[in-house]
């Protein structure tokens, strides 16, 4: 069985589930999900700049209204449970956890502990971080020792 560590920041959509579960054809895939709560990886200004860059001006003005830090923990747990059910419903094995500390430190240990074959970072575009190679995928490539695939999440 192929093992993928899947880093996410929002619940998986049906399109996301189909995309990640069919990446390896008919081979069985086991997923270890790492759900990053909002506000722990990028600040409000960077997210607002990303919103403006993709033409989502209304979203840019609402960035400060969304829960962050400890207030984002419960929504992250719900998003993780939803995503695990969706992957299992598609026939994949799936376990996961909400990231408590720095995501890349946890990622390295999860890759080692699960003997993962790859890491998939499924995220919305983060243009500022990507430009400076400070996004999860860019930093993970130097840390985990397995291939890292960056995919853009589908919008709901």
């Amino acid at each position: 069985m192929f093992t993928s560590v899947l880093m996410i920041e929002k619940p998986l959509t049906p399109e996301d589930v189909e995309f990640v579960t069919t990446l390896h054809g008919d081979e069985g895939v086991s997923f270890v999900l790492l759900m990053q709560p909002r506000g722990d990886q990028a600040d409000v200004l960077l997210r607002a700049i990303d919103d403006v860059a993709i033409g989502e001006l209304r979203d840019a003005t609402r960035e400060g209204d969304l829960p962050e830090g400890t207030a984002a923990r419960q929504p992250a747990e719900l998003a993780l449970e939803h995503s695990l059910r969706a992957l299992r419903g598609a026939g994949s094995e799936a376990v996961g956890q909400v990231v408590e500390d720095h995501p890349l430190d946890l990622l390295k240990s999860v890759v080692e502990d699960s003997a993962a074959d790859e890491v998939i970072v499924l995220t919305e575009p983060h243009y500022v971080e990507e430009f400076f190679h400070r996004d999860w995928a860019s930093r993970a490539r130097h840390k985990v020792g397995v291939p890292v695939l960056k995919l853009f999440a589908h919008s709901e």
Side-chain angles (χ1 to χ4, degrees), residues 93-116:
E93 294 179 14
V95 296
Q97 67 186 73
V98 173
V99 175
E100 297 284 341
D101 296 313
H102 194 276
L104 295 177
D105 292 337
L106 178 61
L107 176 63
K108 183 176 171 61
S109 66
V110 167
V111 166
E112 291 170 357
D113 293 346
S114 65

Side-chain angles (χ1 to χ4, degrees), residues 97-152:
Q97 67 186 73
V98 173
V99 175
E100 297 284 341
D101 296 313
H102 194 276
L104 295 177
D105 292 337
L106 178 61
L107 176 63
K108 183 176 171 61
S109 66
V110 167
V111 166
E112 291 170 357
D113 293 346
S114 65
D117 297 295
E118 70 180 356
V119 171
I120 299 172
V121 177
L122 187 67
T123 183
E124 294 178 338
H126 297 290
Y127 297 111
V128 175
E129 291 175 339
E130 290 168 20
F131 180 78
F132 291 107
H133 302 285
R134 300 302 304 156
D135 59 301
W136 287 352
S138 295
R139 291 184 293 165
R141 285 185 181 107
H142 302 288
K143 193 164 189 136
V144 297
V146 297
V148 177
L149 179 61
K150 180 176 185 168
L151 302 174
F152 290 117

Side-chain angles (χ1 to χ4, degrees), residues 6 12 14-29 31 86-88 90-92 120:
L6 180 57
L12 295 176
E15 294 85 2
D16 293 331
V17 171
E18 181 179 354
F19 194 37
V20 298
T21 58
T22 60
L23 278 173
H24 299 289
D26 292 333
E27 186 171 359
V29 181
F31 291 96
L87 288 169
R88 291 174 186 146
S92 294
I120 299 172

